[in-house]
Amino acid sequence: MQEIPLSEATRLIYPRVTVLVTSAGLDRKPNAAPYSWIAPVSFSPPMLYLGIQKRETQTVKNIRATGEFVVNVVTKDWAAQAVACEAKIPDKVERSGLRFRESKKVKAPTAEKAEIALECKLHEIIETGKADHYLVIGEIVHAEKDEKIKNSEIVMHLLGADFISPGKKFTLERKK
Ligand SMILES: Cc1cc2nc3c(=O)[nH]c(=O)nc-3n(C[C@H](O)[C@H](O)[C@H](O)COP(=O)(O)O)c2cc1C
């Protein structure tokens, strides 16, 4: 085993599912940004968290203002467009060519191409002390999945510009 510098330690938690977080400001202007620090935190009620860096991203501003966001799982055919929404320019969303549709339970938009979409209402933003990311916890108030989605199309983030999709499925016996 090779020792890894602590500055690289969190990068060893990979691959992580890549999502596009869609939100809107009070002016209803849609915003979208890719995130991969995401995980579930509660079955009942269903909740998830996002780890979002402590510069005030547009995503955090919108979530603070409206209390709503949508987590769209990214698949291969629109992954480049989703990743383009990382850009720190005001018209990044228009430039990406992504389109949005109305969500069912929140005013934040859903990405039209999303095959899994989780509509969330803000539960809590944990400021996390000396950590450099907020924990944004959302309660999932509506969940949608296109049954035709293929696992092999889901885009996982490795590191930097590297991504991978799930390979062959296998099964393990679990003790109850
Ligand atoms: C694949 C990918 C995953 C990312 N994951 C995260 C993440 O989990 N947390 C984070 O704070 N930023 C993440 N980023 C960077 C944000 O997308 C970036 O800060 C973006 O400019 C935020 O946009 P916003 O200001 O519209 O919210 C990721 C970028 C990419 C390309």
Side-chain angles (χ1 to χ4, degrees):
M1 294 283 273
Q2 193 187 333
E3 185 167 350
I4 301 296
L6 290 179
S7 57
E8 300 296 312
T10 55
R11 300 188 190 280
L12 299 180
I13 302 168
Y14 74 90
R16 301 171 307 275
V17 68
T18 307
V19 299
L20 185 75
V21 176
T22 44
S23 59
L26 290 174
D27 57 2
R28 306 294 292 270
K29 183 176 189 256
N31 186 62
Y35 287 90
S36 64
W37 285 18
I38 174 169
V41 281
S42 174
F43 267 132
S44 181
M47 291 189 185
L48 55 79
Y49 78 80
L50 296 164
I52 302 189
Q53 57 197 276
K54 284 183 179 170
R55 73 181 174 86
E56 286 291 285
T57 56
Q58 193 59 48
T59 298
V60 163
K61 282 186 199 152
N62 288 352
I63 294 173
R64 286 193 199 280
T66 65
E68 295 181 345
F69 61 99
V70 180
V71 169
N72 305 268
V73 173
V74 175
T75 43
K76 276 184 195 164
D77 73 319
W78 57 284
Q81 288 173 289
V83 169
C85 290
E86 175 185 32
K88 295 173 185 62
I89 48 172
D91 59 347
K92 63 172 183 169
V93 176
E94 293 83 348
R95 282 191 192 207
S96 75
L98 283 173
R99 296 163 64 96
F100 303 96
R101 62 174 172 80
E102 280 198 10
S103 302
K104 300 289 187 318
K105 294 279 174 61
V106 299
K107 291 197 188 79
T110 293
E112 212 172 64
K113 289 196 170 165
E115 291 171 277
I116 293 177
L118 303 170
E119 297 180 20
C120 297
K121 291 214 188 244
L122 177 64
H123 172 65
E124 187 179 3
I125 297 183
I126 301 180
E127 302 287 330
T128 65
K130 69 180 182 183
D132 58 13
H133 282 51
Y134 300 119
L135 288 186
V136 177
I137 301 182
E139 178 170 347
I140 302 167
V141 293
H142 183 76
E144 288 184 354
K145 176 182 174 182
D146 180 339
E147 289 302 324
K148 294 193 290 296
I149 189 173
K150 292 195 184 99
N151 289 344
S152 59
E153 294 294 312
I154 291 174
V155 171
M156 311 288 293
H157 190 203
L158 285 174
L159 176 62
D162 291 338
F163 295 84
I164 195 167
S165 285
K168 197 171 174 339
K169 181 168 117 179
F170 61 96
T171 305
L172 297 173
E173 185 188 337
R174 291 179 60 180
K175 302 286 180 217
K176 290 273 151 63

